[in-house]
Amino acid sequence: MTSASSFLLFIPLLMWTASSHHMSSTFYDTACPNALSIIRSGVNSAISKEPRLGASLLRLHFHDCFVLGCDASVLLDDTDTFTGEKTAGPNNNSLRGFEVIDSIKSQLECACPGVVSCADILTVAARDSVVALGGPSWTVPLGRRDSTTASFNQANSDLPSPASNLNTLISAFAKKGLDAKDMVALSGGHTIGKARCTTFRSRIYNDSDINASFAASLRRICPSSGGDNNLAALDCTTRVFDNAYFRDLPVQKGLLHSDQQLFSGGSTNSLVMTYISSPATFNSDFVTAMVKMGNINLLTGTNGQIRVNCRKPN
């Protein structure tokens, strides 16, 4: 009886141990001890040359995780027989930073071939980008593996649009297991980076909940036709990760329609006010949401692969 009981206890313990070993902050400590420093160095080097790349790398991770999960599917190039996610509406001529990931990957392949996944590089690079621009740091669980496929259709359907209303935003995030607080905190990532005219043109010409002088200044950057790729800062401190994004919303200076929706008399107004009054709470909630997002539909263990080239399956 005792031995049978011990055996029954042993089986779930084995299962727990095996699954817990799939994801760990020390996943590469033995197989590639310099992995995190190589990623950090690559990110810092890129951002020192072009600060906007910090926002681009953060966005790349977000657009990866929202389509099939955090599996580096967003990095796959189209071929004659395969259509990936890069040319989907939310990504086409918009996603940036692929060359930074390529450079980091090639360095990692020299240091420890076939060990570090592109999905983990994306996740760590997002964290390191936030840190490089003055934001909080956090421990990233590691052990993701890379997909061999992508989804053009899901990229078109599941990535929130800059024209989204509040309920649409809440639903899009809920579909990925993220609640309204996660959604508002992650939206705060717009405290860094810039957006193209095509993403905010409708707001500055059609929305009523926009500061008049702010709209006028943006119309000089973004004409009613043409200039689609002209850029405007997503908040007033675009090179610094802080809570200025939220401070802009009560004065109706959200750049995107979806930004201003967070403070539009709806259920998220109070969260915005909390993040204005307490930058530490914003940082804490942002970190929590980033870790949650980084764990969406992971490939671990023997699922997926470790791509040698992030742009194509092995």
Side-chain angles (χ1 to χ4, degrees):
M1 184 71 179
T2 304
S3 60
S5 300
S6 300
F7 182 67
L8 289 171
L9 285 169
F10 183 60
I11 292 174
L13 181 63
L14 262 180
M15 291 171 66
W16 180 87
T17 305
S19 62
S20 67
H21 281 176
H22 286 167
M23 297 294 292
S24 165
S25 61
T26 60
F27 190 85
Y28 297 115
D29 281 11
T30 301
C32 193
N34 293 324
L36 294 184
S37 61
I38 289 171
I39 297 172
R40 183 172 61 250
S41 175
V43 169
N44 289 344
S45 174
I47 291 175
S48 69
K49 294 170 188 164
E50 187 189 349
R52 186 183 167 213
L53 276 170
S56 300
L57 292 170
L58 176 59
R59 185 165 178 255
L60 206 51
H61 175 50
F62 171 77
H63 280 230
D64 180 39
C65 291
F66 262 59
V67 182
L68 301 181
C70 308
D71 58 3
S73 61
V74 74
L75 301 178
L76 292 170
D77 282 342
D78 289 0
T79 69
D80 291 341
T81 56
F82 168 80
T83 303
E85 297 162 20
K86 289 182 176 179
T87 54
N91 297 338
N92 197 30
N93 299 319
S94 174
L95 283 185
R96 307 168 73 249
F98 296 112
E99 295 78 12
V100 179
I101 301 300
D102 290 340
S103 173
I104 292 169
K105 178 61 173 173
S106 65
Q107 293 175 61
L108 287 166
E109 285 301 307
C110 287
C112 34
V115 173
V116 183
S117 70
C118 303
D120 274 346
I121 295 171
L122 277 179
T123 310
V124 175
R127 188 270 312 271
D128 291 347
S129 294
V130 169
V131 173
L133 294 173
S137 186
W138 62 93
T139 301
V140 177
L142 301 166
R144 295 166 191 78
R145 289 168 67 86
D146 302 323
S147 69
T148 56
T149 188
S151 178
F152 176 86
N153 290 337
Q154 197 178 115
N156 278 320
S157 65
D158 286 16
L159 286 164
S161 158
S164 296
N165 291 329
L166 181 60
N167 288 340
T168 305
L169 290 169
I170 291 172
S171 296
F173 279 74
K175 187 175 179 181
K176 305 299 174 182
L178 300 165
D179 62 24
K181 190 201 301 192
D182 298 323
M183 185 273 289
V184 177
L186 289 169
S187 297
H190 282 180
T191 184
I192 52 176
K194 298 180 178 182
R196 296 182 303 145
C197 164
T198 184
T199 63
F200 60 85
R201 176 182 283 122
S202 177
R203 168 156 167 72
I204 63 175
Y205 288 98
N206 299 318
D207 285 6
S208 57
D209 58 345
I210 186 168
N211 177 282
S213 60
F214 179 64
S217 68
L218 289 169
R219 287 173 189 149
R220 289 193 287 272
I221 297 170
C222 181
S224 55
S225 63
D228 284 2
N229 292 322
N230 295 350
L231 299 172
L234 280 157
D235 85 356
C236 57
T237 60
T238 186
R239 293 188 176 194
V240 180
F241 192 99
D242 57 16
N243 70 339
Y245 167 83
F246 297 106
R247 297 199 303 269
D248 286 343
L249 300 182
V251 291
Q252 298 188 323
K253 291 185 178 181
L255 180 63
L256 307 178
H257 179 83
S258 56
D259 293 329
Q260 193 60 52
Q261 282 291 293
L262 304 186
F263 197 89
S264 58
S267 59
T268 55
N269 273 33
S270 59
L271 265 174
V272 170
M273 295 309 295
T274 296
Y275 294 157
I276 291 170
S277 63
S278 176
T281 302
F282 163 52
N283 284 347
S284 174
D285 288 354
F286 180 80
V287 164
T288 298
M290 283 296 291
V291 173
K292 281 176 71 174
M293 185 180 77
N295 286 332
I296 295 174
N297 291 351
L298 302 186
L299 299 172
T300 59
T302 56
N303 296 317
Q305 61 181 214
I306 306 297
R307 279 189 234 140
V308 175
N309 178 341
C310 290
R311 292 175 179 265
K312 61 183 184 180
N314 295 341

